[in-house]
Amino acid sequence: MPFANFKVPADTLTAEQKEQIITRTTDLYAEIYGERARATTLVLVEDVPDGGWGLGGDVLTLAKIQQKPQG
């Protein structure tokens, strides 16, 4: 069973955008593995609470992600 897990900052995607991720990912797996994979493809879109993830040891928040780079 093909499986994709997307973790995104909470409250940054609409229901329609999540649906688009699910349908396009399913389409991609079906394109790669054949139509037989469509019925068993599992796509999970998880909302991660603000501050619930980090990169390089730094806790990320939505405010930090949205900051424009200096320079």
Side-chain angles (χ1 to χ4, degrees):
M1 162 182 14
F3 174 73
N5 187 349
F6 293 87
K7 295 180 186 288
V8 299
D11 303 319
T12 60
L13 296 178
T14 65
E16 291 80 17
Q17 289 169 319
K18 289 178 183 180
E19 182 177 342
Q20 187 177 28
I21 289 172
I22 292 166
T23 57
R24 290 179 70 177
T25 301
T26 302
D27 289 344
L28 178 62
Y29 275 126
E31 179 183 323
I32 292 169
Y33 291 109
E35 280 299 317
R36 68 188 182 284
R38 185 176 300 278
T40 61
T41 295
L42 175 61
V43 181
L44 181 61
V45 180
E46 293 184 84
D47 288 320
V48 178
D50 200 38
W53 57 326
L55 178 64
D58 294 324
V59 174
L60 293 177
T61 63
L62 189 55
K64 285 183 183 179
I65 294 169
Q66 292 176 334
Q67 282 180 342
K68 293 184 181 178
Q70 300 294 324

